[in-house]
Amino acid sequence: MKEKLEMIKAAVLEELKGASIKTELENVRVKYLGKKGELTQILRGMGQLSNEERPVIGKLANEVRENIESLITKASNTLKNKEKDIKLKSEIIDISMPGKKQTIGKRHPLDLTLEKVNEIFLSMGFVIEEGPEVEQDYYNFEALNIPKNHPARGEQDTFYINDSIVLRTQTSPIQIRTMENQKPPIKMIAPGKVYRSDAVDATHSPIFYQIEGLIVDKGITFADLKGTLELFTQKMFGDKMETKFRPHHFPFTEPSAEMDATCFVCKGEGCKVCSGSGWIELLGCGMVHPQVLRNCGIDPEVYSGFAFGFGLDRITMLKYGIDDIRALYESDMKFLKQF
């Protein structure tokens, strides 16, 4: 039994040399000092020893136990010190090392364009109005004279929350809300995010930004609309940018038109971006439909008005010569650093 005790002591020493984590130290302790440990089993067999051997072996066994506990404690302390050293080394800051270059953010081209658009219209006497992105069907469609069977109401174009709530497809509902709550004269723009069920490609995105404009007062004519939009275009893109109006149809305006601008890629010579025409559609506009005025409690016999709407993304692409709308939403720093 004495030989077994000496072997246990030697074995513990050897195993502790290879222990590098707390779990391994605990395994050694359980193996030799636990309830079913090797040293514990020897102590339980001491009843079989003679009266002369029992005190000698008992003393030796206690010494071995104390020795093992001391070795384990010492190994544990050594391990803790090593862990502290490793942690301290990992936290050391070499003040002589050069600092890491920090990437400086840039303002997004959409934000730059929106600021310029707002500045132009504010200088012309417009005010900025806001409204909810989750909108009632009434404000998004019905009050704008869009009938129940109109294609724009289809699920292929509109994100429906339920039968009466949608993600707004345009910022025109803000015009309705403004006309309901304010008496003419009204002169406002409504920039904001809109949603349409479009597949992503170079010119379409399911989420984009739109700006609507509205003027309602006595004696407003199509000439006022044309002059306002031409002045905006010149201030936005410079005097060399040409525009043209062509007839169109919108349920909420009558008469309606679309305004085209010189292609930003080919400068009017014709290319694949403008389908060889030299022109790119810039915005839709028209005189506010009399029924829309009536829906808002405004007498169309007394007041008239014009409205227009354009995509901020398209204006940004036109201003900076960007030919793919996806570049505006991919957070590519190489692209954004250009602005």
Side-chain angles (χ1 to χ4, degrees):
M1 192 171 285
K2 183 177 180 180
E3 289 77 11
K4 285 185 179 181
L5 290 170
E6 292 295 339
M7 288 174 63
I8 287 174
K9 182 178 178 181
V12 169
L13 279 170
E14 191 63 31
E15 290 188 32
L16 288 177
K17 288 180 182 178
S20 59
I21 57 176
K22 292 179 180 180
T23 305
E24 293 175 349
L25 290 179
E26 180 62 16
N27 290 340
V28 172
R29 189 192 68 77
V30 172
K31 181 178 179 180
Y32 295 101
L33 302 181
K35 290 182 179 181
K36 296 181 180 180
E38 295 183 20
L39 182 59
T40 304
Q41 295 299 323
I42 290 176
L43 293 174
R44 288 176 179 174
M46 287 183 60
Q48 301 174 3
L49 299 175
S50 64
N51 293 334
E52 292 80 12
E53 290 178 318
R54 197 174 297 149
V56 176
I57 298 302
K59 181 181 179 182
L60 180 60
N62 286 330
E63 289 176 355
V64 171
R65 172 182 283 280
E66 291 174 0
N67 189 260
I68 291 173
E69 290 176 344
S70 177
L71 289 171
I72 291 175
T73 300
K74 184 178 179 181
S76 178
N77 291 334
T78 301
L79 188 60
K80 287 179 181 178
N81 291 333
K82 285 183 179 179
E83 290 174 349
K84 286 181 181 179
D85 290 342
I86 292 172
K87 186 177 180 181
L88 286 172
K89 287 180 180 178
S90 68
E91 294 176 351
I92 290 176
I93 299 174
D94 186 353
I95 60 174
S96 65
M97 290 181 66
K100 293 182 179 179
K101 186 177 181 180
Q102 298 295 320
T103 301
I104 300 175
K106 298 284 185 178
R107 290 188 64 188
H108 198 281
L110 284 173
D111 184 54
L112 292 170
T113 305
L114 177 59
E115 182 179 67
K116 180 65 174 178
V117 170
N118 287 343
E119 178 186 311
I120 292 171
F121 281 111
L122 288 173
S123 70
M124 294 163 65
F126 287 76
V127 296
I128 298 173
E129 300 288 351
E130 296 181 345
E133 293 180 18
V134 180
E135 186 58 275
Q136 295 178 38
D137 175 274
Y138 173 79
Y139 288 104
N140 198 75
F141 294 123
E142 189 173 339
L144 289 163
N145 207 31
I146 299 176
K148 293 288 186 182
N149 61 349
H150 195 279
R153 287 180 178 249
E155 292 183 359
Q156 69 270 21
D157 291 321
T158 305
F159 291 107
Y160 280 88
I161 306 300
N162 56 41
D163 290 342
S164 59
I165 303 295
V166 301
L167 295 182
R168 68 183 182 192
T169 59
Q170 53 201 352
T171 51
S172 300
I174 302 175
Q175 298 180 6
I176 301 297
R177 291 178 177 274
T178 301
M179 286 190 285
E180 282 185 344
N181 296 312
Q182 296 181 25
K183 293 181 178 180
I186 296 171
K187 197 173 185 180
M188 52 80 72
I189 58 169
K193 190 184 296 182
V194 298
Y195 307 84
R196 291 186 189 173
S197 186
D198 284 332
V200 177
D201 59 27
T203 57
H204 296 86
S205 172
I207 302 175
F208 57 99
Y209 293 85
Q210 196 173 54
I211 299 176
E212 303 276 344
L214 172 73
I215 289 181
V216 177
D217 203 350
K218 295 178 180 179
I220 299 297
T221 67
F222 200 93
D224 298 312
L225 165 63
K226 191 170 183 291
T228 299
L229 294 180
E230 286 181 344
L231 179 59
F232 161 72
T233 306
Q234 290 173 3
K235 287 189 174 184
M236 191 72 196
F237 302 107
D239 296 338
K240 294 182 179 180
M241 178 65 73
E242 296 184 7
T243 61
K244 69 174 183 177
F245 290 79
R246 51 188 170 81
H248 199 69
H249 169 72
F250 299 110
F252 34 84
T253 53
E254 180 60 39
S256 303
E258 283 191 340
M259 187 177 83
D260 297 336
T262 308
C263 177
F264 61 89
V265 177
C266 65
K267 309 303 181 185
E269 295 182 3
C271 66
K272 65 178 182 179
V273 175
C274 61
S275 301
S277 68
W279 299 91
I280 287 184
E281 176 192 332
L282 193 63
L283 55 84
C285 58
M287 301 302 293
V288 180
H289 197 290
Q291 185 58 47
V292 173
L293 293 174
R294 292 190 191 96
N295 292 340
C296 300
I298 297 175
D299 187 352
E301 299 297 326
V302 178
Y303 295 99
S304 59
F306 67 76
F308 58 87
F310 56 84
L312 180 66
D313 312 70
R314 180 163 293 186
I315 295 292
T316 303
M317 293 168 71
L318 187 62
K319 183 172 178 60
Y320 293 107
I322 302 167
D323 60 4
D324 195 324
I325 193 174
R326 289 169 290 194
L328 299 173
Y329 296 96
E330 292 177 346
S331 300
D332 184 345
M333 285 304 297
K334 290 182 180 180
F335 169 77
L336 294 175
K337 282 181 178 178
Q338 299 177 69
F339 306 93

